[in-house]
Amino acid sequence: MQVWSFASGSDGNCYVLESEGTSLLVECGRPYSQIKELLDSIGLQPDELSGIVLTHAHGDHSRSARFLSQTHRVPIYASRGTLGALNLEDLSLARPLDSGKVYPVGQVDVKPFAVPHDCREPLGFRFESGTGRAAIATDLGWVPSNVARQFKDVDLLVLEANYDPHLLHTGTYPYFLKQRVSGTYGHLSNAAAGEAIASCQDRPPAVVWLAHLSEHNNSPKHALQTVARILRRRGLGHVPIKTTHHRRSNLRWTSAVARERQLPMFA
Ligand SMILES: [Zn+2]
Ligand SMILES: [Zn+2]
């Protein structure tokens, strides 16, 4: 299994997850031309995608989904609430998902779980295949225990670390927006992300990417310091943490099993 972070933040989110020939575009929130270019950079054409997987309908996650899906006949996997908001003309491309069920897409089992966020039926995902396990959860106001459970034993966790409370409250956002971001249906603070990872205790994710960082109310330094401090205190200082970039493709991860398979036998 391999995962690329193409972009992550309120200006547009986009990841690719690939496993044994199954390629999923997870989020489609950047302009279509850029997504096409990014796919091209890893040797993929939009027609080759097995599916577009969306967490929710906010524009920074879904902007180009309808166009890409209809132009290239790629099905969209999302909750009914998200699919409804997209106004798909061709409903044969809609694949409605229910939280708690398992949906095999090619070689990958897609396992959606409900998260608290201010839109209709937002989801997070756990992806499992013969070569790896990854989970992604961004845009959630807090982490209920049934969500935190999804982070256990994954090889890669992509988790929102949206804001530093001090930067948010002393920053330039209007009061209502500060309330929205920090509310139970808003976004996750750095400390809340750290606590959620730490709650996995003896079954933590092997690698963590902190994602959807606010450009106004956070910085990679703030996110990394806060999360690392919490993990160290809880005996998880060994878990590697990186931060995604707002608009750049900056991270690629390959699971240990997939890496072994790529190595020549007698190198
Ligand atoms: Zn978002
Ligand atoms: Zn959102």
Side-chain angles (χ1 to χ4, degrees):
M1 182 182 282
Q2 302 187 82
V3 178
W4 290 261
S5 173
F6 281 171
S8 178
S10 55
D11 214 18
N13 297 270
C14 190
Y15 313 88
V16 168
L17 181 141
E18 185 279 333
S19 192
E20 298 140 288
T22 299
S23 301
L24 300 173
L25 190 67
V26 183
E27 315 285 44
C28 199
R30 293 293 292 168
Y32 168 74
S33 58
Q34 276 185 23
I35 292 177
K36 210 162 166 286
E37 237 171 69
L38 289 161
L39 287 172
D40 196 46
S41 73
I42 61 167
L44 263 179
Q45 295 308 309
D47 315 54
E48 295 168 336
L49 290 168
S50 315
I52 299 166
V53 180
L54 300 180
T55 58
H56 64 300
H58 284 159
D60 57 321
H61 298 257
S62 70
R63 185 174 299 144
S64 312
R66 182 166 171 251
F67 182 77
L68 197 152
S69 165
Q70 295 189 168
T71 307
H72 298 281
R73 311 295 304 162
V74 182
I76 301 182
Y77 295 82
S79 69
R80 282 175 185 78
T82 301
L83 290 167
L86 294 180
N87 286 320
L88 289 177
E89 281 150 28
D90 185 350
L91 289 176
S92 70
L93 293 168
R95 303 284 184 278
L97 305 177
D98 288 321
S99 166
K101 293 192 178 164
V102 182
Y103 299 87
V105 182
Q107 301 299 312
V108 180
D109 279 348
V110 178
K111 300 180 166 185
F113 51 89
V115 297
H117 191 52
D118 53 1
C119 62
R120 282 176 59 204
E121 297 180 79
L123 297 171
F125 294 100
R126 192 172 158 114
F127 301 96
E128 299 186 0
S129 78
T131 60
R133 283 167 298 201
I136 176 163
T138 71
D139 298 56
L140 62 170
W142 60 291
V143 185
S145 55
N146 62 312
V147 170
R149 211 171 31 240
Q150 307 293 332
F151 306 160
K152 288 187 176 178
D153 297 321
V154 290
D155 303 301
L156 172 69
L157 170 64
V158 182
L159 179 63
E160 169 167 58
N162 184 262
Y163 69 94
D164 172 275
H166 179 72
L167 292 181
L168 176 68
H169 292 299
T170 56
T172 55
Y173 271 22
Y175 178 74
F176 81 91
L177 205 49
K178 290 180 181 180
Q179 294 299 103
R180 191 215 143 212
V181 168
S182 60
T184 49
Y185 291 92
H187 291 274
L188 218 56
S189 72
N190 295 334
E195 292 297 342
I197 302 161
S199 75
C200 296
Q201 295 167 342
D202 55 340
R203 296 162 61 196
V207 174
V208 175
W209 290 354
L210 300 176
H212 212 299
L213 272 66
S214 166
E215 285 187 270
H216 303 281
N217 309 311
N218 208 357
S219 72
K221 194 174 157 196
H222 280 86
L224 289 168
Q225 276 180 353
T226 302
V227 173
R229 190 168 55 237
I230 291 168
L231 293 189
R232 269 199 309 276
R233 243 190 250 143
R234 307 281 285 271
L236 295 174
H238 59 281
V239 176
I241 321 165
K242 291 177 177 173
T243 53
T244 57
H245 193 275
H246 304 287
R247 281 170 290 274
R248 258 206 340 260
S249 169
N250 75 323
L251 296 176
R252 175 192 180 172
W253 164 87
T254 307
S255 68
V257 180
R259 260 199 319 271
E260 276 164 30
R261 288 191 186 170
Q262 280 167 10
L263 288 175
M265 290 273 268
F266 303 103

